[in-house]
Amino acid sequence: MCSLVLVMSSFVDLFLGCNLEEELYVGLQGCWVHLTLESNLIHMPTDISVRKPVLDLTFSLLIGERAKGIKKNNTTRNSENMTSSEVNENENEMSVLDLPNLALECILEKLEPDGLCKMACVCSYLRDMCLSDHLWEDHMKKRWGRVIGDVAYKEWQLHIASKKQSNYFLDGENRKVSCYRALQTGKFWFPAQVFNRENGHVGFMLSCYDADLSYDSHTDTFQARYPPHGRRAAAIETGVTWDRLRAPPVDNSPHDLHISDCLNDLRPKDHIEIQWRRNKQFPYGWWYGVVGHLEACDGNQTYCHCHENDTVVLEFNQYAPGSRWRHTMIHRKEHREEGNEADGFYGGIRKLNRKDEISMWEQFWPAEILE
């Protein structure tokens, strides 16, 4: 038998963003709660790492009907030694589960993922509330929103479908919390794109390539697995940081040409990214550039008519003047894939309209001009 006295202040205090351990010892204002639990009524896990948080939460939340029954038994058992006011005070004790659902949901929304998982261990009612998709949707966006896109969600659905066809699918695995847990533990390799692949190798400077990624919680970095290049085996890169990742901006296989829908809108100084690959056996990567002026144009905006010409100049100013990679030209109306085996092949184009997309590219600008 073990006893615990908890001081519960207003549940509004739970909205202050303190950590789980602090939240366990606040609650309903002005109410001192005395709870006696008998060990044979609560079956605790043997794993000590799980046992303590479950025990703490069991005490702090008074676990609904089970706690009420215990309190009632204790009141009866000890009533002979208590005054009438003390008996009445015991009968008026409140459980967190006595709160209206809306108030309880507001509390749960303030918990971090670790807190929600621990709270879900308390009882079946809280488990259903804590594992609901609408709570984990916000955590997914906050933690993974910048690197997880539609392509990754489709891959997750395929992953779930394949498990359903096997004998290893568990009920509830298609919930948001399951996806979050699979990402956090590195068990789900998700598709994303990596800037400056292979540790910023000079041959990939200011590029972004598709890869499958797995998160390593010990280092807070990712392992990237790039698709094979021709006869070259798949490359593996470790230690990829968050700032080098993005969700794929288009739902295209890296081997497929992106159909450009911005060619008629391109003007000098527009920021773009364009597909490029060494040869037709290689996957495309995205490369950063800007729209330049035609050779006959002096760059004066008043007299510039470059945007009316069928030829569009693309500049890659990370390369030195005179470099064969410095610029290329495409046809505005008939552009498909253009290039040759010597200079590679240029594919689809995306115009960058958002400042955050442009600044993400510019943060990787090389310290020295490339040859």
Side-chain angles (χ1 to χ4, degrees), residues 94-229:
M94 290 186 66
S95 161
V96 170
L97 296 183
D98 292 328
L99 293 172
N101 279 351
L102 180 59
L104 186 52
E105 285 188 6
C106 288
I107 294 173
L108 296 179
E109 286 173 358
K110 298 300 177 180
L111 292 180
E112 293 299 316
D114 182 58
L116 280 177
C117 289
K118 291 176 180 178
M119 192 82 80
C121 297
V122 174
C123 63
S124 59
Y125 180 75
L126 282 175
R127 180 189 63 209
D128 291 339
M129 291 193 69
C130 292
L131 301 184
S132 60
D133 280 351
H134 83 275
L135 287 177
W136 287 92
E137 182 74 34
D138 291 339
H139 290 300
M140 282 290 296
K141 289 180 180 178
K142 180 180 177 181
R143 176 69 170 170
W144 299 100
R146 195 176 64 79
V147 299
I148 296 291
D150 293 339
V151 178
Y153 279 118
K154 289 180 181 179
E155 191 69 24
W156 172 252
Q157 292 304 318
L158 291 174
H159 172 74
I160 291 298
S162 66
K163 295 194 74 174
K164 284 183 178 180
Q165 295 174 359
S166 69
N167 295 323
Y168 297 100
F169 182 78
L170 300 176
D171 186 37
E173 277 195 271
N174 58 342
R175 287 181 168 183
K176 293 286 185 184
V177 63
S178 299
C179 184
Y180 187 99
R181 186 185 298 118
L183 289 166
Q184 190 69 21
T185 57
K187 293 180 179 179
F188 174 47
W189 288 74
F190 64 94
Q193 293 182 344
V194 183
F195 290 92
N196 292 2
R197 60 172 284 179
E198 298 183 30
N199 296 308
H201 186 284
V202 66
F204 296 103
M205 197 64 68
L206 281 185
S207 70
C208 194
Y209 274 79
D210 287 83
D212 289 330
L213 291 118
S214 173
Y215 179 65
D216 182 352
S217 59
H218 298 292
T219 60
D220 193 29
T221 60
F222 296 83
Q223 182 177 0
R225 186 170 59 204
Y226 301 101
H229 281 199

Side-chain angles (χ1 to χ4, degrees), residues 70-85:
I70 295 171
K71 290 189 290 180
K72 183 177 180 179
N73 291 340
N74 289 338
T75 301
T76 303
R77 183 185 309 154
N78 298 322
S79 59
E80 295 179 359
N81 301 321
M82 298 171 63
T83 65
S84 59
S85 61

